[in-house]
């Protein structure tokens, strides 16, 4: 994952081409239109690459392209595939790409840090952010809304090596593949040292190099809004933390929570 040469919006040449595409589609979405999942990823495919596929690591739109591939291979919308294969059978009743009216009162307001505190954030980011109706672009890399209870069901399935409550969702081999490190020199990300990257998840390979408590073999990821997930297979533990604040990722609060929890194990 993330070695295809694709780009999110950025300052280099490939990043600027990506930024133009996201800006154009955002404008179209605000006008009531915009590309659908496969259409958007076909447009990504026409952009110049940052490097030859397989030659380097770059966090990018790879996950979005995977979502479009799922649509093409399954013959159904990405959201429908997720609903049928995971959300419905796992009992994840509050996970989707939009929030219906009857659930709107439970939907947390997203916030942005500003001098002196927080202010509401209601803009589109990477063509995601309007949850009032089903989106045309169902992003493979962002945009699902959920609850801690729903996410815990999915995390427990992964912790069970693809099985939960007697039902198998993924093969053991698939979960092992998802959580196996693939980068030769580790992942230099906001999480600090000691981590590598598998398939859309970080993997802890050298806990002693991390500037906090960690477990060898733990895996997970965080989101731009501070949605943090990690599984620790050796002790059967999941940590979930949701913040709903922009530009958060692997935050100081996340590190403190991790240390408090792990100091008791």
């Amino acid at each position: 994952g993330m070695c295809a040469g694709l780009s999110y919006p950025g300052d280099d040449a490939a990043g600027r081409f990506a930024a133009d595409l996201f800006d154009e589609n955002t404008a179209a979405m605000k006008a009531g239109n915009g590309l659908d999942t496969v259409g958007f990823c076909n447009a990504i495919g026409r952009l110049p690459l940052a490097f030859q596929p397989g030659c380097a690591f770059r966090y990018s739109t790879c996950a979005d392209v995977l979502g479009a591939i799922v649509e093409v291979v399954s013959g159904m919308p990405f959201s429908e595939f997720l609903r049928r294969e995971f959300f419905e059978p796992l009992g994840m009743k509050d996970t989707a790409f939009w929030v219906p009216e009857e659930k709107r009162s439970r939907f947390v307001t997203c916030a942005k840090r500003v001098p002196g505190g927080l202010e509401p954030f209601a803009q589109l980011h990477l063509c995601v952010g309007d949850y009032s109706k089903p989106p045309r672009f169902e992003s493979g890399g962002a945009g699902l809304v959920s609850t801690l209870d729903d996410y815990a069901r999915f995390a427990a399935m992964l912790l069970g090596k693809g099985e939960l409550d007697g039902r198998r969702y993924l093969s053991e081999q698939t979960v092992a593949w998802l959580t196996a490190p693939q980068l030769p020199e580790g992942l230099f990300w906001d999480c600090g040292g000691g981590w590598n990257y598998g398939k859309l998840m970080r993997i802890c390979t050298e806990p002693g190099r991390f500037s906090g408590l960690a477990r060898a073999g733990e895996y997970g990821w965080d989101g731009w809004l501070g949605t943090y997930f990690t599984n620790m297979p050796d002790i059967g533990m999941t940590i979930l933390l949701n913040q709903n604040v922009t530009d958060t990722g692997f935050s100081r609060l996340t590190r403190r929570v991790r240390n408090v929890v792990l100091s008791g194990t």
Side-chain angles (χ1 to χ4, degrees):
M2 301 300 172
C3 295
L6 303 181
S7 300
Y8 272 133
D11 296 330
D12 65 340
R16 288 193 294 272
F17 278 107
D20 288 344
L21 173 60
F22 275 96
D23 288 346
E24 290 168 9
N25 199 51
T26 296
M29 291 172 67
K30 289 179 178 178
N33 198 358
L35 297 167
D36 62 14
T37 305
V38 173
F40 188 78
C41 291
N42 282 338
I44 288 174
R46 291 189 287 270
L47 299 179
L49 295 176
F51 50 81
Q52 190 71 15
C55 292
F57 172 90
R58 178 167 176 153
Y59 194 64
S60 68
T61 52
C62 285
D64 295 306
V65 173
L66 285 176
I69 291 172
V70 168
E71 283 207 354
V72 173
V73 173
S74 68
M76 64 183 81
F78 185 42
S79 58
E80 182 66 7
F81 177 86
L82 294 176
R83 185 186 70 79
R84 290 190 193 185
E85 297 294 323
F86 295 102
F87 302 158
E88 199 167 88
L90 277 167
M92 299 171 65
K93 61 185 183 300
D94 290 319
T95 303
F97 281 106
W98 69 293
V99 182
E101 184 63 39
E102 63 271 19
K103 296 184 179 183
R104 206 69 54 79
S105 63
R106 296 166 50 210
F107 188 43
V108 176
T109 300
C110 182
K112 178 181 181 180
R113 291 182 180 86
V114 295
L118 300 170
E119 66 178 24
F121 179 86
Q123 302 172 32
L124 293 175
H125 178 68
L126 297 178
C127 295
V128 167
D130 180 4
Y131 300 103
S132 63
K133 59 184 181 296
R136 295 195 72 211
F137 171 49
E138 295 173 341
S139 169
L144 283 175
V145 296
S146 190
T147 62
L148 285 173
D149 287 338
D150 276 15
Y151 206 150
R153 294 283 296 171
F154 187 80
M157 179 272 291
L158 291 177
L159 205 55
K161 298 180 180 179
E163 187 175 342
L164 184 67
D165 297 337
R167 175 167 177 168
R168 180 156 294 282
Y169 298 84
L170 298 171
S171 70
E172 262 191 64
Q173 292 85 351
T174 296
V175 175
W177 178 77
L178 290 170
T179 58
Q182 67 168 350
L183 301 180
E185 297 181 5
L187 176 66
F188 297 95
W189 201 255
D190 61 351
C191 56
W195 300 81
N196 205 295
Y197 193 76
K199 311 303 183 294
L200 308 179
M201 288 188 286
R202 67 167 67 86
I203 322 293
C204 186
T205 51
E206 299 178 78
R209 293 182 57 207
F210 177 58
S211 58
L213 299 179
R215 308 288 303 196
E218 73 165 282
Y219 60 85
W221 198 244
D222 58 67
W224 183 65
L225 299 179
T227 302
Y228 180 81
F229 148 66
T230 194
N231 268 351
M232 303 174 189
D234 65 325
I235 54 175
M237 178 184 286
T238 297
I239 296 177
L240 295 171
L241 179 66
N242 285 3
Q243 296 184 63
N244 294 292
V245 182
T246 66
D247 298 296
T248 297
F250 199 142
S251 68
R252 290 178 60 191
L253 175 61
T254 305
R255 293 167 183 266
R256 292 176 68 179
V257 169
R258 284 178 53 89
N259 285 340
V260 169
V261 172
L262 283 172
S263 65
T265 61

